[in-house]
Amino acid sequence: TTEGIDTSTLTIEGSLHDVELSLQSLVYRGHDNFFGEDNVVVTIDDLGYIEDSIAASSLTAEHSTSVTVSNVNDAPVVTLEGQDLYLSEDASLFLSHIATPLPASEDIVAALQRDGLTEFDSFGFDIDVYADTAIIGAPNGDEVDDKGRAYIYKNNNGIWEYDTTLTATEGAENDFFGGSVAIYGDYAIVGADTKSSAAGAAYIFSKDGEGSWSQAATLAPADIAAGENFGYHVAINSSYVAVTAHNDDDGAGGVYVYEVGSWSSYDKIISPTPIEEGHFGATVALSGDSLVIGAPDEDTTADGHEGAVHLFYNVEGSWEHIKTLSADDGQPYDYLGGSVDITEEYIIVGAHGDNIDISDPLDGTLESDVGAAYLFQKNYDGDGIWGQVAKITSPDMQAGAQFG
């Protein structure tokens, strides 16, 4: 496998058997940061080897293909098979990769300009992707009064193209619509956590059979009061929608969970260890019947703000607290739970305030806000038991980087 920008060459030498195996399993992977067209050429050269049945001349053969690299999230993988190429015992395999970049992001910039985006719209404040559809929040986006917007993009044959703009039918000035976004299947959800004096709201959009998006519901629980920021963070999967209100109940926080398609009823989840300004619900993620909620300001030490992450399962229609996750080396002001995500087997959690020695491991000096991420695995210590399996840090750690 070879990766790179500009031109790179891979040479494989060996016996006939070895080179044949290499060619048959040869895979070219496009570089993640490349926009343009790659010309991939495979050349087989027997280096002048002479066989009794072959004329005294060098045998060469060539197999080539061109692939278009149009987006950082869509790097191509091309398998090049060479069983039809003749190989002699002294053959060598050459893989040449010649890249011709296109103007960076030409198509997507044109789409955004056509939609009237400005430098103050905060485009990209929050993002989510499902299959070939992306949603991008711009909570300050509106030509007149900063109501906020969200944008839908579609990946068509490797090119991300603007599809439509989502706005709230009852949008008002400074709602911060688009401050949080999520998408799954034919549904998207957009948070507007400063609407109505920061009581907040969230909006459900659905896609019809012809691919058109329209507002399907407005979520605004009756018990939400000014300043509680309902819609601060949102998540969705095939079964549930989760909307956080991290300033609910004097900042203790709460999370509201709806079943997809049933927008009038919800379950409210609170922290098993609620504290004032703990901000349970600062982040949230869903996977199947599992819900993970970050509380980066909850106190697990006397000095506070170490942070915690709470895992819930939906068991026969009821959300049950399963475990509180904390870092093995947690310290005050780590803010564990500032970001979270979950799959069936893993949970990853950011701790952007983590302090790490990045110079001399022996001098005991910690640099502030370097940041880290923690990986937890299911069944780590028995059936269904979650445990920490790794701490992840940036390869170029810097003070203040807030990695995670």
Side-chain angles (χ1 to χ4, degrees):
T1 302
T2 183
E3 297 185 56
I5 299 177
D6 298 327
T7 301
S8 60
T9 301
L10 171 69
T11 302
I12 300 176
E13 297 181 356
S15 68
L16 172 62
H17 175 72
D18 291 341
V19 177
E20 281 182 332
L21 288 178
S22 297
L23 183 59
Q24 291 170 13
S25 61
L26 183 65
V27 174
Y28 163 71
R29 298 181 185 276
H31 194 281
D32 287 348
N33 296 317
F34 174 67
F35 290 79
E37 183 175 274
D38 274 3
N39 298 303
V40 184
V41 180
V42 176
T43 302
I44 307 302
D45 192 337
D46 73 352
L47 305 179
Y49 181 77
I50 301 174
E51 283 187 340
D52 291 340
S53 60
I54 305 296
S57 61
S58 178
L59 297 173
T60 61
E62 189 172 273
H63 178 90
S64 65
T65 185
S66 294
V67 292
T68 299
V69 187
S70 57
N71 187 270
V72 67
N73 294 321
D74 195 45
V77 176
V78 180
T79 301
L80 307 172
E81 298 178 352
Q83 293 91 331
D84 57 329
L85 304 179
Y86 181 87
L87 294 175
S88 66
E89 288 290 348
D90 292 334
S92 292
L93 167 65
F94 301 92
L95 168 62
S96 296
H97 148 228
I98 303 171
T100 307
L102 296 174
S105 307
E106 184 178 62
D107 293 335
I108 198 168
V109 169
L112 299 182
Q113 289 174 341
R114 284 197 301 272
D115 204 55
L117 215 63
T118 74
E119 61 180 313
F120 303 109
D121 286 353
S122 302
F123 179 83
F125 190 89
D126 197 21
I127 57 175
D128 198 17
V129 175
Y130 176 79
D132 61 355
T133 306
I135 184 170
I136 304 172
N140 291 314
D142 190 284
E143 294 95 334
V144 181
D145 50 15
D146 296 336
K147 295 177 182 178
R149 295 180 171 193
Y151 298 85
I152 299 291
Y153 282 80
K154 288 276 292 180
N155 189 302
N156 295 315
N157 298 318
I159 299 176
W160 286 95
E161 298 178 340
Y162 166 77
D163 182 41
T164 193
T165 301
L166 306 180
T167 57
T169 55
E170 63 271 37
E173 184 176 358
N174 298 322
D175 277 358
F176 216 65
F177 175 95
S180 58
V181 296
I183 188 169
Y184 192 97
D186 293 334
Y187 288 99
I189 180 170
V190 181
D193 75 298
T194 61
K195 183 178 181 62
S196 302
S197 301
Y203 299 87
I204 302 294
F205 294 84
S206 62
K207 183 175 63 173
D208 63 23
E210 297 181 353
S212 297
W213 291 87
S214 60
Q215 185 174 322
T218 300
L219 309 181
D223 65 336
I224 287 293
E228 294 188 337
N229 297 104
F230 177 83
Y232 183 78
H233 204 271
V234 297
I236 185 172
N237 66 8
S238 61
S239 301
Y240 308 106
V241 163
V243 185
T244 77
H246 75 304
N247 277 322
D248 182 47
D249 192 17
D250 296 321
V255 176
Y256 296 75
V257 183
Y258 301 76
E259 290 189 10
V260 169
S262 180
W263 311 120
S264 60
S265 60
Y266 55 82
D267 293 311
K268 183 178 180 179
I269 300 174
I270 63 172
S271 171
T273 55
I275 63 167
E276 187 173 326
E277 301 299 330
H279 296 134
F280 174 87
T283 54
V284 65
L286 283 161
S287 177
D289 289 328
S290 301
L291 175 69
V292 62
I293 301 170
D297 293 300
E298 283 195 358
D299 296 317
T300 54
T301 65
D303 293 327
H305 305 286
E306 182 178 331
V309 174
H310 301 281
L311 176 63
F312 294 80
Y313 289 168
N314 189 292
V315 180
E316 297 181 350
S318 178
W319 290 98
E320 298 183 3
H321 181 255
I322 301 301
K323 188 176 179 65
T324 297
L325 305 175
S326 58
D328 291 346
D329 62 348
Q331 297 292 325
Y333 299 98
D334 277 357
Y335 302 108
L336 182 80
S339 57
V340 297
D341 204 359
I342 183 173
T343 67
E344 183 178 354
E345 188 176 357
Y346 292 99
I347 295 171
I348 190 166
V349 182
H352 62 272
D354 188 58
N355 300 333
I356 300 175
D357 190 334
I358 61 177
S359 52
D360 183 355
L362 300 179
D363 70 6
T365 301
L366 298 178
E367 299 288 350
S368 62
D369 294 341
V370 176
Y374 293 85
L375 191 66
F376 299 86
Q377 185 175 14
K378 190 177 182 180
N379 303 326
Y380 172 74
D381 192 22
D383 186 28
I385 305 300
W386 291 81
Q388 182 181 320
V389 294
K391 179 179 181 179
I392 304 169
T393 57
S394 170
D396 56 351
M397 295 182 291
Q398 298 179 14
Q402 297 188 334
F403 178 84

